[in-house]
Amino acid sequence: MKITKYPESCLLIETKEKKILIDPGVLKYKEEYFDIWSKVDAICVTHKHSDHCNVELLEKLGENIKIYSSSEVKNTYPQLNVNIVKENDVITVGDVKIEVVHAEHGYLPPMKNGGKVIENIGYIVDDGETRVYATSDTICFQNEYKCDILCAPVSDNGVVMGPFEVALFAKEAGAKLIIPVHNDSPNYPVDFEYVKSVFEKNEVDYEILENGESIEIE
């Protein structure tokens, strides 16, 4: 399995001859990404915010690429051909399973005029050997999800978890590795030296990827 990080929370997961793109957003989007993103087999969007859902890009993609997301995303962007999924659904892409899981998007007052997320979901991509859990923008919540790799935001801004919560979340999930995401917004800068210190104090392994950087999972 190969995981490539792109801006904000975007991840490209390549495994079993399939390519799955999660949360292609508008932040720091580059036209050069289009040639890569337009050749995927499926796109999974966690929620309606533009840093996770680049509508202009998704409109350009061919109809052969299925887009999966919540009914809220479909209602917010009716121009998109969204296949509605909800918690506990399972998406099948070739030999890869994608479990649709719960997520709880935090709230801040600037979201009160339509920005509040009502339906938020995460995805666990399972190729039979490795389970990669993309949490979405979520605060900590009780669950029994299990994964090998946890891709989670660490901004600690009331909307999402901070590094301490992510470390505990990862241990609960049995994750062997944490990949931080959601770190490109100038409104919510991430102090990675602090993140590293918290992860190391809590004895969890992590890999901080730059945009466009990949990691191979054996």
Side-chain angles (χ1 to χ4, degrees), residues 71-115:
S71 60
E72 182 174 46
V73 167
K74 186 175 181 67
N75 292 336
T76 304
Y77 308 113
Q79 68 269 44
L80 297 180
N81 185 22
V82 173
N83 295 271
I84 297 175
V85 290
K86 60 186 184 304
E87 183 180 340
N88 296 322
D89 284 350
V90 176
I91 304 163
T92 302
V93 183
D95 293 329
V96 182
K97 290 194 311 180
I98 307 171
E99 300 170 19
V100 184
V101 299
H102 183 71
E104 296 185 8
H105 198 290
Y107 172 79
L108 292 175
M111 297 179 185
K112 65 183 177 182
N113 296 316

Side-chain angles (χ1 to χ4, degrees), residues 104-146:
E104 296 185 8
H105 198 290
Y107 172 79
L108 292 175
M111 297 179 185
K112 65 183 177 182
N113 296 316
K116 182 179 179 180
V117 174
I118 307 301
E119 289 186 76
N120 190 25
I121 50 180
Y123 297 98
I124 299 177
V125 179
D126 186 345
D127 68 358
E129 299 169 8
T130 303
R131 290 170 61 82
V132 180
Y133 179 9
T135 68
S136 182
D137 289 2
T138 188
I139 55 176
C140 216
F141 63 93
Q142 184 176 347
N143 67 86
E144 297 182 356
Y145 302 137
K146 298 299 178 184

Side-chain angles (χ1 to χ4, degrees), residues 14-70:
E14 300 175 71
T15 187
K16 303 294 184 183
E17 300 183 347
K18 296 297 179 182
K19 297 180 180 181
I20 297 156
L21 188 68
I22 299 175
D23 279 358
V26 299
L27 279 180
K28 296 188 177 180
Y29 172 72
K30 298 179 180 179
E31 287 298 327
E32 64 195 62
Y33 295 157
F34 185 81
D35 286 341
I36 301 170
W37 295 1
S38 62
K39 294 179 175 64
V40 302
D41 297 286
I43 295 175
C44 298
V45 175
T46 61
H47 63 285
K48 67 182 180 181
H49 288 163
S50 62
D51 57 334
H52 297 258
C53 184
N54 185 333
V55 176
E56 184 176 345
L57 164 73
L58 296 180
E59 283 186 288
K60 294 179 182 178
L61 298 179
E63 294 182 358
N64 59 313
I65 302 176
K66 289 191 174 182
I67 303 171
Y68 298 94
S69 194
S70 67

Side-chain angles (χ1 to χ4, degrees), residues 147-152 154 163 166-171 174-180 195-208 215 217:
C147 66
D148 300 296
I149 300 169
L150 181 73
C151 304
V154 293
V166 169
L168 297 183
F169 203 90
K171 287 182 177 180
K176 302 179 183 69
L177 181 70
I178 299 169
I179 299 177
V195 171
K196 291 176 184 177
S197 69
V198 173
F199 283 171
E200 289 165 8
K201 182 178 180 180
N202 285 275
E203 299 181 329
V204 292
D205 291 331
Y206 61 91
E207 186 75 35
I208 296 173
I215 185 171
I217 308 298

Side-chain angles (χ1 to χ4, degrees), residues 153-157 161-164 180-200 206 208:
V154 293
S155 307
D156 196 17
N157 55 15
M161 296 182 280
F164 175 68
V181 296
H182 200 257
N183 50 31
D184 281 297
S185 172
N187 297 323
Y188 307 114
V190 175
D191 181 348
F192 276 115
E193 291 306 312
Y194 173 68
V195 171
K196 291 176 184 177
S197 69
V198 173
F199 283 171
E200 289 165 8
Y206 61 91
I208 296 173

